[in-house]
């Protein structure tokens, strides 16, 4: 979770608005943010936590969903005001900046289903993370995790055990690649705004 500390001036557009100081504060864990002297507005970016996968049936693995995202410009703040900052500390957890905006984490995978993506709420911009890859009960197949959302768009869906490649995303992170057991198989992560999701390589050494 990050916030820009500034005396906000210019357009209130959450992407192109002009800020005075340009300072950034990152919160790696839950805490209380006290509005500094001379600061009347912040722009907050919040991500939930990605979901985790689990061992599925038949020796396969399901995947977790990608984190949701929310961004909000908050004006009219009073220096000295304390705002509760919650940063997700477990897989699938929710992060928030006071009551202004929040983002849920991706759902965790279960024995037979991968998790869905998290979502943002309360912000000027809210996007959902990608779902984990489809699980089809194939023996020893593994699903790719969903990509996290960003200010530019949704996260990509993870690759399933029959559709190996991760799905691309228009603005968030690309989904991770799935893996099919009957190799050799090469699966790439889906394309995202700033790069690919994780890839996977598997080679059947038993001939």
């Amino acid at each position: 979770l990050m916030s820009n500390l500034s005396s906000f001036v210019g357009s209130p557009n959450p992407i192109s608005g002009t800020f005075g100081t340009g300072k950034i504060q990152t919160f790696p864990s839950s805490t209380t943010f006290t509005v500094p002297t001379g600061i009347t507005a912040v722009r907050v970016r919040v991500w939930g936590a990605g979901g985790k996968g689990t061992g599925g049936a038949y020796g396969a693995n399901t995947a977790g969903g990608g984190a949701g995202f929310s961004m909000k410009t908050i004006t009219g703040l009073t220096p000295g005001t304390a705002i509760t900052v919650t940063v997700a500390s477990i897989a699938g957890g929710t992060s928030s900046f006071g009551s202004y905006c929040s983002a849920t984490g991706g759902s965790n995978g279960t024995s037979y289903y991968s998790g869905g993506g998290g979502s943002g709420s309360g912000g000027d911009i809210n996007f959902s993370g990608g779902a984990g890859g489809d699980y089809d009960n194939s023996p020893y197949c593994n699903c790719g995790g969903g990509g996290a959302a960003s200010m530019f768009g949704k996260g990509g869906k993870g690759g399933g055990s029959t559709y190996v490649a991760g799905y691309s995303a228009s603005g968030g992170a690309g989904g991770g690649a799935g893996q099919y057991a009957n190799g050799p198989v090469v699966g790439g992560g889906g394309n995202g705004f700033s790069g690919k999701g994780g890839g996977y390589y598997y080679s059947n050494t038993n001939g």
Side-chain angles (χ1 to χ4, degrees), residues 47 67-69 125-130 147-156 169-173 193:
W47 285 267
F69 173 83
I125 291 177
N126 303 290
F127 283 114
S128 299
S150 77
M151 63 185 290
F152 301 106
K154 298 179 180 181
S170 60
F193 182 81

Side-chain angles (χ1 to χ4, degrees), residues 38-121:
I39 300 302
T40 59
V42 296
R43 178 178 295 154
V44 180
R45 299 171 177 86
V46 182
W47 285 267
K52 66 180 180 180
T54 190
Y58 311 109
N61 292 289
T62 62
F69 173 83
S70 180
M71 183 169 75
K72 186 176 182 67
T73 296
I74 305 167
T75 61
L77 294 175
T78 301
T81 299
I83 301 174
T84 299
V85 176
T86 302
V87 178
S89 59
I90 59 173
T94 297
S95 298
S96 62
F97 187 78
S99 60
Y100 294 102
C101 62
S102 63
T104 62
S107 300
N108 297 327
T110 66
S111 295
Y112 290 96
Y113 299 98
S114 288
S119 60
S121 63

